[in-house]
Amino acid sequence: MGFLKKIEKKLENAVESLFAKGFKSKVEPVELGKKMVLAMVNNKVVALKKVWAPNEFDVSLSPDDDEEYNNYKKELVHELQDYIVKEAAKEDLSIVGRPKIIFKKDDNLKRGQFNIEVKLSEKLKEEISDTKDGATQLIPIDLPKVGEGRHYIQLEPTMIQYDLKDGKNMIGRSTTNDIAISDPSLSRHHIQIVVEGKEAVLEDLGSTNGTQVNGKKTKNIILKDNDVIMAGNSKIVYRRADG
């Protein structure tokens, strides 16, 4: 039985009672759980002694689905926490305590749509960054140098940075992109950022899961320093270092 099939089977058993009570949301807990686990695995942080799993999950739902979930959130959160902890152990990921799962209403989402954002808690970030007394230390894998007076992006929570060249910068899942990100929620060619002088323009390339900038869905936008881009489940911060 494949990885996703195992996930589906376990979650089906865990949430069976919800459907028996008349759960009618178009966002099925089984699908939600699968995406949460995949987001966790794809956003792991490699340190010297351990590989850490994100321990905070923000789940955004449409107003209709959020209202439906209100009757079951407490029970579902408990089941998802148990499941995430077990799956993290199977993937040899270290996770601090029970993950924090918060459901949010997003008026920009339609019924059946959802977004998942995963991150490390501030406490865990401090532990990973602390190099004293043999504590774990973040390994800067493939960390390109960022020059002054240049545009760059930073992936969260890994803090890996990539320079953006003048002209088009293709970003997506495929290795043919200028910047390839291993995240199944991304389209093969998800977005492009076009740099011209001091200006950088983001364009969604017809992606399946869409693109948001600072929480708002967008197809084309001029970026500002510190703008937060959500491409699928990947969190990307745009930065400009003026020289």
Side-chain angles (χ1 to χ4, degrees):
M1 183 181 295
F3 177 64
L4 293 182
K5 288 296 183 181
K6 290 180 181 178
I7 292 176
E8 186 171 349
K9 184 63 177 176
K10 291 178 182 179
L11 279 177
E12 281 176 349
N13 294 334
V15 303
E16 188 177 58
S17 61
L18 293 180
F19 291 101
K21 295 175 183 176
F23 188 80
K24 298 178 181 178
S25 171
K26 287 191 175 181
V27 178
E28 297 184 5
V30 171
E31 182 65 18
L32 192 61
K34 289 193 294 184
K35 292 294 178 66
M36 290 174 74
V37 169
L38 287 173
M40 174 186 70
V41 172
N42 287 321
N43 286 276
K44 62 188 178 185
V45 175
V46 180
L48 287 178
K49 295 183 179 180
K50 295 181 181 180
V51 180
W52 295 94
N55 60 342
E56 292 189 1
F57 296 76
D58 290 344
V59 182
S60 299
L61 301 170
S62 71
D64 288 342
D65 290 315
D66 182 71
E67 183 177 356
E68 184 66 35
Y69 264 71
N70 274 333
N71 299 320
Y72 309 100
K73 280 180 183 176
K74 185 175 181 180
E75 182 179 356
L76 182 57
V77 164
H78 181 78
E79 296 292 349
L80 287 172
Q81 286 175 327
D82 286 346
Y83 179 69
I84 288 170
V85 169
K86 290 178 182 177
E87 292 304 313
K90 287 185 177 181
E91 294 293 318
D92 293 325
L93 302 178
S94 296
I95 190 166
V96 177
R98 295 176 68 79
K100 182 179 180 181
I101 301 174
I102 298 177
F103 284 92
K104 299 178 178 180
K105 181 175 68 173
D106 187 338
D107 293 330
N108 294 317
L109 295 177
K110 297 180 181 179
R111 187 176 179 88
Q113 295 180 329
F114 63 90
N115 287 321
I116 298 172
E117 181 178 348
V118 298
K119 55 188 177 182
L120 303 177
S121 66
E122 291 302 319
K123 183 177 180 180
L124 182 53
K125 284 181 182 179
E126 290 176 5
E127 181 173 350
I128 293 174
S129 298
D130 185 5
T131 61
K132 297 177 181 178
D133 301 323
T136 55
Q137 180 180 12
L138 190 65
I139 299 176
I141 301 175
D142 296 330
L143 184 61
K145 294 181 180 179
V146 177
E148 291 185 354
R150 303 298 294 171
H151 305 258
Y152 65 98
I153 60 172
Q154 178 169 299
L155 307 186
E156 298 290 349
T158 60
M159 296 180 288
I160 295 175
Q161 297 175 352
Y162 295 94
D163 259 330
L164 298 175
K165 67 180 187 296
D166 289 335
K168 294 182 179 180
N169 297 265
M170 301 279 288
I171 303 171
R173 194 178 73 248
S174 173
T175 56
T176 61
N177 289 285
D178 298 295
I179 300 173
I181 302 174
S182 180
D183 179 354
S185 72
L186 291 174
S187 294
R188 295 184 73 253
H189 303 288
H190 198 104
I191 59 174
Q192 71 176 11
I193 298 177
V194 181
V195 175
E196 293 185 4
K198 291 187 176 181
E199 189 172 88
V201 179
L202 177 146
E203 179 184 355
D204 183 274
L205 300 174
S207 65
T208 300
N209 293 324
T211 303
Q212 295 185 23
V213 176
N214 300 327
K216 295 183 179 181
K217 191 171 184 179
T218 186
K219 293 289 187 183
N220 189 284
I221 190 171
I222 297 175
L223 295 171
K224 302 184 298 296
D225 188 33
N226 280 325
D227 275 350
V228 177
I229 303 162
M230 287 299 300
N233 293 330
S234 290
K235 183 177 181 180
I236 304 167
V237 180
Y238 164 75
R239 298 300 312 274
R240 187 177 75 231
D242 292 321

